[in-house]
Amino acid sequence: MRHGKKVNHLGRQTAHRKAMLANMACSLIEHKRINTTVAKAKALKGFVEPLITKSKADTTHNRRIVMSRLRQKEAVTELFREVATKIGDRPGGYTRIIKLGNRLGDNADMAMIELVDYNEIYNADKKAKKTTRRSRRGGNKDVAPAVETKATNEEE
């Protein structure tokens, strides 16, 4: 039975697994997308998303927590500057896993994990996003054309 076993050990000892996830997270922050196996991508998603959430609030305490997990100063700097400003309004779900098929050598399931806001293909139609909500009554629809017709009559 696997009661209470949430961590995928990925066939590695604890120190090796933590170092591997820290290196993969730094690569993901630097390059915005990486190719890896599906199991490693799922483990990386659980590792990096809390760090991105911490980067929203740029405090000394949060920087020290993220630095203890990532271990690369350049990656922490980029996370708190570029990545945090781009994902500041997103409530979660900062990464996306796209399955790519099987690797030729050992037939392992491969995937691409990427930061969601850095993909221009998926976000091309979402840039014209409106933040206001429309009311169901529509009482202001008649007011705007009346103002326009009045302005055109005065010009003539």
Side-chain angles (χ1 to χ4, degrees), residues 134-141:
R134 295 183 182 173
S135 65
R136 297 191 67 158
R137 291 187 295 171
N140 294 336
K141 289 182 181 176

Side-chain angles (χ1 to χ4, degrees), residues 69-137:
R69 301 287 302 270
L70 287 184
R71 305 177 190 146
Q72 285 186 16
K73 189 175 183 180
E74 297 82 16
V76 173
T77 304
E78 186 168 351
L79 177 66
F80 276 87
R81 285 196 184 144
E82 286 87 27
V83 177
T85 56
K86 195 144 187 179
I87 53 98
D89 58 342
R90 183 177 286 275
Y94 311 112
T95 58
R96 175 187 297 129
I97 297 175
I98 300 170
K99 294 185 180 179
L100 299 176
N102 296 340
R103 187 163 49 196
L104 288 177
D106 58 355
N107 207 30
D109 289 332
M110 296 300 288
M112 176 177 63
I113 182 168
E114 64 183 3
L115 296 175
V116 171
D117 290 331
Y118 284 91
N119 190 333
E120 293 83 18
I121 297 170
Y122 286 120
N123 295 335
D125 58 342
K126 296 179 184 176
K127 287 188 179 178
K129 180 181 168 185
K130 291 186 178 180
T131 56
T132 59
R133 301 187 77 176
R134 295 183 182 173
S135 65
R136 297 191 67 158
R137 291 187 295 171

Side-chain angles (χ1 to χ4, degrees), residues 7-22:
V7 177
N8 186 356
H9 295 292
L10 301 172
R12 287 160 174 80
Q13 300 292 325
T14 304
H16 185 187
R17 185 173 56 252
K18 286 181 180 178
M20 181 189 67
L21 288 174

Side-chain angles (χ1 to χ4, degrees), residues 11-99:
R12 287 160 174 80
Q13 300 292 325
T14 304
H16 185 187
R17 185 173 56 252
K18 286 181 180 178
M20 181 189 67
L21 288 174
N23 289 333
M24 289 174 65
C26 291
S27 296
L28 179 65
I29 291 166
E30 181 184 352
H31 300 292
K32 311 305 185 247
R33 70 178 57 153
I34 57 172
N35 290 338
T36 182
T37 62
V38 173
K40 286 181 187 174
K42 288 180 180 178
L44 180 61
K45 185 172 188 162
F47 181 85
V48 79
E49 289 206 3
L51 300 180
I52 296 174
T53 303
K54 290 269 186 206
S55 73
K56 286 183 175 182
D58 191 3
T59 62
T60 306
H61 182 63
N62 285 347
R63 278 187 179 264
R64 286 177 178 165
I65 290 172
V66 172
M67 185 65 193
S68 70
R69 301 287 302 270
L70 287 184
R71 305 177 190 146
Q72 285 186 16
K73 189 175 183 180
E74 297 82 16
V76 173
T77 304
E78 186 168 351
L79 177 66
F80 276 87
R81 285 196 184 144
E82 286 87 27
V83 177
T85 56
K86 195 144 187 179
I87 53 98
D89 58 342
R90 183 177 286 275
Y94 311 112
T95 58
R96 175 187 297 129
I97 297 175
I98 300 170
K99 294 185 180 179

Side-chain angles (χ1 to χ4, degrees), residues 144-156:
V147 172
E148 291 174 8
T149 56
K150 205 182 249 187
T152 56
N153 290 338
E154 290 174 4
E155 292 174 1
E156 294 175 355

